[in-house]
């Protein structure tokens, strides 16, 4: 295996880790006004992701940085072609982060409601648009001979990409509901369990349609096996949720995201951004890659620092592993 292939796999792993980890805190954010019946409920929900949401976003930064360093032409074409969509995602993520920090700075229902809305919208928009972006990456976009995007913003809003967006949105909301059932007690846990089953039924239909479309249009034997395994993991997670085995249910939705993302990258390889104008104009792991020297240096840096980052993040999750409930919020400090 060449270094370009290794870095394609590593970038796939980074995006997979980002979707698994940020996926559930996107889901919690979207569900904030749905499951949080009062300020104390919403405070409990935010506290379940409070210690980890910013650490989860590190995976996005590393994935973006690795793409820039390993495949600069891929990065350049993506950011020029998807500029407006990525700008919307960035603004949503900033609004969400600011909301987490500012909603407790002042008392008052209107103040908190405004920031809760920012958390919900700032979670929903990236959950939807990341799927739209990856749908377009797998399907391909109009590129000229130099790798320049020649479409418009509305070119990206095609049926396949929109279905991909609905798939990531529904899957992340389900992942968030299962996470809340795992990390909370009392009424929130009960409502999250019930909602996870309802959202899960919708997710099965949407995800099955998207994976079937992907297999028919871009699939191989490998992607077929991965897509089938993803479907089985999703159904298994829903059954575990129905039986109140929240740990298994969360593992099921996490494995579903892993396998679904692996399906997309397997369908994409060896291209990194196919051209719908002419297949000869497609960016591949070969023509979009950095020099072997750059990839060698990056590999050694990854070997040294990746275990450190993984160990720190695992420790964070271990420290904040206990369930939370309304009793965890001291009286008078529900904000």
């Amino acid at each position: 295996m060449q270094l370009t292939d290794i870095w394609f796999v590593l970038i796939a792993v980074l995006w997979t880790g980002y979707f698994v980890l940020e996926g559930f805190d996107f889901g919690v954010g979207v569900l904030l006004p749905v499951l949080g019946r009062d300020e104390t409920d919403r405070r409990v929900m935010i506290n379940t992701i409070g210690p980890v949401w910013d650490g989860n976003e590190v995976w996005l930064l590393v994935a973006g940085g690795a793409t820039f360093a390993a495949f600069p032409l891929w990065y350049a074409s993506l950011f020029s072609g998807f500029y407006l969509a990525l700008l919307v995602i960035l603004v949503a993520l900033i609004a969400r982060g600011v909301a987490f920090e500012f909603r407790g700075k002042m008392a008052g229902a209107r103040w908190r409601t405004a920031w809760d809305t920012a958390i919900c919208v700032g979670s929903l928009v990236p959950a939807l648009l990341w799927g739209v972006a990856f749908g377009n990456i797998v399907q391909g976009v109009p590129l000229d001979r130099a790798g320049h995007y020649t479409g418009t913003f509305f070119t990206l809003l095609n049926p396949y990409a929109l279905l991909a967006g609905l798939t990531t949105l529904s899957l992340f909301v389900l992942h968030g509901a299962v996470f809340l059932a795992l990390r909370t007690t009392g009424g929130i846990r009960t409502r999250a369990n019930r909602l996870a089953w309802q959202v899960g039924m919708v997710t099965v239909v949407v995800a099955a349609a998207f994976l079937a479309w992907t297999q028919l249009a871009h699939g191989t034997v490998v992607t077929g096996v991965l897509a089938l395994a993803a479907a089985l993991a999703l159904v298994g997670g829903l059954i575990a949720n129905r039986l109140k085995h929240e740990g298994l249910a969360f593992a099921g939705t996490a494995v579903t995201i892993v396998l679904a993302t692996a399906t997309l990258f397997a369908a994409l390889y060896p291209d990194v951004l196919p051209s719908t104008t002419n297949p000869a104009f497609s960016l591949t792991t070969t023509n979009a890659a950095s020099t072997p020297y750059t990839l060698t240096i990056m590999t050694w840096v990854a070997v040294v620092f990746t275990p450190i980052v993984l160990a720190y993040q695992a420790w964070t999750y271990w420290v904040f592993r206990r369930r939370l409930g309304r009793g965890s919020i001291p009286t008078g400090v529900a904000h």
Side-chain angles (χ1 to χ4, degrees):
M1 180 179 284
Q2 299 179 344
L3 279 177
T4 52
D5 298 324
I6 292 173
W7 274 97
F8 179 82
V9 172
L10 287 176
I11 287 170
V13 170
L14 289 169
W15 279 108
T16 302
Y18 174 65
F19 287 149
V20 170
L21 296 177
E22 190 91 298
F24 71 74
D25 67 51
F26 280 155
V28 172
V30 173
L31 294 176
L32 191 62
V34 179
L35 293 178
R37 293 184 173 176
D38 57 22
E39 171 56 23
T40 303
D41 278 355
R42 290 189 285 274
R43 184 69 261 175
V44 170
M45 293 173 66
I46 291 173
N47 283 2
T48 62
I49 59 173
V52 297
W53 71 268
D54 47 356
N56 294 342
E57 291 195 344
V58 170
W59 288 73
L60 172 62
L61 299 177
V62 178
T67 305
F68 170 75
F71 300 102
L73 291 182
W74 184 16
Y75 183 91
S77 296
L78 278 178
F79 273 75
S80 59
F82 297 8
Y83 179 78
L84 185 55
L86 293 176
L87 179 63
V88 171
I89 291 175
L90 180 62
V91 170
L93 291 176
I94 291 173
R96 179 172 176 266
V98 171
F100 281 132
E101 299 295 334
F102 275 73
R103 77 178 297 278
K105 299 298 183 184
M106 290 177 58
R110 292 180 62 183
W111 172 268
R112 292 172 190 163
T113 299
W115 289 119
D116 288 347
T117 302
I119 292 173
C120 178
V121 176
S123 302
L124 187 151
V125 170
L128 176 68
L129 291 187
W130 280 130
V132 174
F134 271 82
N136 279 294
I137 291 172
V138 173
Q139 178 178 251
V141 294
L143 296 176
D144 63 17
R145 185 183 299 275
H148 297 154
Y149 179 74
T150 57
T152 67
F153 172 75
F154 295 102
T155 305
L156 303 176
L157 304 180
N158 55 79
Y160 176 77
L162 292 174
L163 181 59
L166 291 177
T167 301
T168 52
L169 176 60
S170 60
L171 191 52
F172 291 168
V173 172
L174 169 63
H175 199 36
V178 171
F179 176 78
L180 283 172
L182 176 65
R183 288 294 316 281
T184 60
T185 61
I188 301 177
R189 180 185 181 187
T190 303
R191 294 195 296 276
N193 257 315
R194 185 166 56 242
L195 186 68
W197 178 254
Q198 296 166 348
V199 174
M201 294 297 101
V202 176
T203 305
V204 166
V205 175
V206 174
F210 173 68
L211 291 174
W213 191 340
T214 301
Q215 183 62 23
L216 290 173
H218 313 284
T220 62
V221 174
V222 173
T223 59
V225 172
L226 290 170
L228 179 61
L232 293 175
L234 178 58
V235 173
L238 290 177
I239 293 173
N241 174 75
R242 196 68 170 174
L243 298 175
K244 302 292 190 296
H245 297 308
E246 285 104 350
L248 289 176
F250 184 72
T253 54
V255 171
T256 301
I257 294 173
V258 170
L259 294 172
T261 309
T263 302
L264 297 183
F265 275 92
L268 183 61
Y269 182 83
D271 291 336
V272 291
L273 189 60
S275 171
T276 55
T277 306
N278 185 335
F281 300 161
S282 298
L283 299 180
T284 69
T285 54
T286 302
N287 65 19
S290 290
T291 64
Y293 177 76
T294 301
L295 295 177
T296 302
I297 296 295
M298 290 174 58
T299 302
W300 282 110
V301 171
V303 167
V304 172
F305 287 101
T306 300
I308 298 174
V309 173
L310 292 177
Y312 173 76
Q313 195 150 31
W315 176 79
T316 304
Y317 276 88
W318 175 256
V319 169
F320 296 101
R321 67 188 182 281
R322 72 182 181 89
R323 290 180 183 268
L324 301 176
R326 294 177 66 89
S328 306
I329 308 300
T331 304
V333 291
H335 58 280

